[in-house]
Each structure stands twice: as structure tokens, then as C-alpha cells.
């Protein structure tokens, strides 16, 4: 893949919500860019000692964390991964290794859109119950997902360079 990525640049000005969402959307688009244009074999190829740290595995994981933090934690939906993760803490990585890369990308983009819709309905200070008697606010979830997505975008950047030489922020 040699095309320049089509990513929304984070805004240089704006309120907190605009800038947080801007950076998260930039990172989400970076993830999609780094995963696009690969064959299923390339996306599943283990290139580091951890056999699950593949393009496909990371994309499956990022889809799960989008679903968990925004749909389950903030929106209160049922955690459809709970049982599978109790049996295998790496279930989302393993399932992704059996899923075509184009389906993984589409699922990730759909989950990101659902996440945007959840955040749009809430204020950054809105709090929800979290793991018993604790609370978490929307700001924490968005900031955490910037960190999570940015960290794994870095992993994807390295994997993609090892696969076919593609580099770029």
C-alpha cells in the first residue's frame, strides 16, 4: 500500500471534547490505514515472539476494547465477550486470526462508529458504575482509548513495516 492515508487531522483549536475526539479519530484512522491492503496471510503472520501480536490479532483486540469501553461500560450493554474471555483471556486475538482482514476492518470501523454515537450522547463528566462500587467518567474512557489505540497503532506501524516496508505516521 502506497496511498497516503485519509485521516482526519486532529484540530489545533477547539474545546476539550473536540480535541479528544479528534485525536482518537486520527488514531482510529491510522489503525485502519496500517491494516488495509494486506492479504489474510500477511495480516496473520507472526513477526514477533508473541504469536498473537499480529495485524489481525491487534485489530481484533482494538475492536473488542472499543466495544467494551464504549458499549458495555458507558452504554450499559451486555458484554458479549465476557464468557469467552473467562475461558481464554486472549479470545479476541484468536478469533481474529480466523477472520478475513477485510471483515476485521469493517467490524472495527462499525464499532468505532457506535463508540462515537455513545460519546455524542454523553457529557465528558458523565459518570457510570464501573466494576462494583466504582465509577468512571466519559473523559477517562476517551483518554484511555487514545492511549490504547495509540499504543497499538505503534505496534501496527512496526508490523506493517516488517510485512511490506510501509512506513509513515
Amino acid at each position: 500500500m502506497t496511498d497516503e492515508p485519509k485521516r482526519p487531522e486532529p484540530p489545533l483549536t477547539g474545546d476539550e471534547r473536540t480535541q479528544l475526539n479528534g485525536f482518537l479519530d486520527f488514531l482510529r484512522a491510522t489503525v485502519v490505514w496500517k491494516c488495509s491492503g494486506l492479504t489474510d496471510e500477511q495480516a496473520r503472520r507472526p513477526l514477533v515472539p508473541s504469536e498473537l501480536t499480529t495485524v489481525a490479532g491487534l485489530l481484533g483486540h482494538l475492536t473488542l476494547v472499543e466495544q467494551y469501553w464504549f458499549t458495555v461500560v458507558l452504554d450499559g450493554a451486555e458484554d458479549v465477550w465476557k464468557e469467552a474471555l473467562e475461558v481464554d483471556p486472549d479470545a479476541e486475538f484468536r478469533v481474529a486470526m480466523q477472520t478475513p482482514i477485510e471483515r476485521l476492518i469493517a467490524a472495527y470501523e462499525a464499532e468505532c462508529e457506535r463508540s462515537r454515537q455513545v460519546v455524542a450522547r454523553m457529557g465528558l463528566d458523565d459518570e457510570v458504575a464501573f466494576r462494583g462500587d466504582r465509577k468512571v467518567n466519559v473523559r477517562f474512557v476517551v483518554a484511555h482509548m487514545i492511549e490504547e489505540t495509540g499504543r497499538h497503532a505503534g505496534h501496527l506501524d512496526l508490523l506493517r513495516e516488517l510485512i511490506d516496508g510501509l512506513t509513515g505516521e
Side-chain angles (χ1 to χ4, degrees), residues 46-64:
L47 298 164
V48 296
S50 168
E51 66 184 22
L52 298 176
T53 304
T54 64
V55 170
L58 289 169
L59 192 53
H61 173 69
L62 284 167
T63 303
L64 169 84

Side-chain angles (χ1 to χ4, degrees), residues 2-167:
T2 58
D3 293 341
E4 281 297 313
K6 297 184 179 38
R7 299 176 294 178
E9 286 294 324
L12 297 175
T13 62
D15 63 14
E16 181 181 18
R17 174 187 289 273
T18 300
Q19 292 190 312
L20 289 172
N21 287 335
F23 271 97
L24 185 51
D25 280 340
F26 175 82
L27 290 169
R28 288 167 170 157
T30 300
V31 166
V32 171
W33 175 44
K34 294 296 178 169
C35 296
S36 295
L38 296 174
T39 66
D40 291 335
E41 184 277 325
Q42 288 172 317
R44 295 176 186 150
R45 186 182 304 159
L47 298 164
V48 296
S50 168
E51 66 184 22
L52 298 176
T53 304
T54 64
V55 170
L58 289 169
L59 192 53
H61 173 69
L62 284 167
T63 303
L64 169 84
V65 295
E66 285 277 344
Q67 185 265 337
Y68 175 74
W69 282 102
F70 293 104
T71 305
V72 174
V73 172
L74 291 182
D75 209 28
E78 178 184 351
D79 186 353
V80 297
W81 279 94
K82 185 176 182 182
E83 288 180 22
L85 291 170
E86 287 172 355
V87 173
D88 177 3
D90 297 318
E92 78 276 22
F93 288 90
R94 293 185 206 290
V95 168
M97 294 294 283
Q98 305 304 315
T99 306
I101 188 65
E102 291 305 320
R103 276 191 35 214
L104 290 171
I105 292 169
Y108 177 69
E109 290 180 315
E111 203 59 57
C112 291
E113 182 54 35
R114 276 191 284 282
S115 298
R116 284 183 203 95
Q117 291 171 11
V118 169
V119 169
R121 294 191 308 263
M122 303 178 82
L124 292 176
D125 292 323
D126 288 357
E127 294 181 350
V128 297
F130 182 65
R131 297 183 182 165
D133 63 347
R134 299 167 65 194
K135 292 197 177 283
V136 64
N137 68 19
V138 174
R139 180 181 289 100
F140 173 89
V141 172
V142 174
H144 171 66
M145 287 304 298
I146 290 168
E147 177 274 328
E148 180 90 13
T149 307
R151 181 165 31 98
H152 293 310
H155 296 140
L156 289 166
D157 191 41
L158 291 171
L159 293 173
R160 186 62 190 256
E161 184 173 359
L162 290 170
I163 291 168
D164 66 3
L166 177 75
T167 60

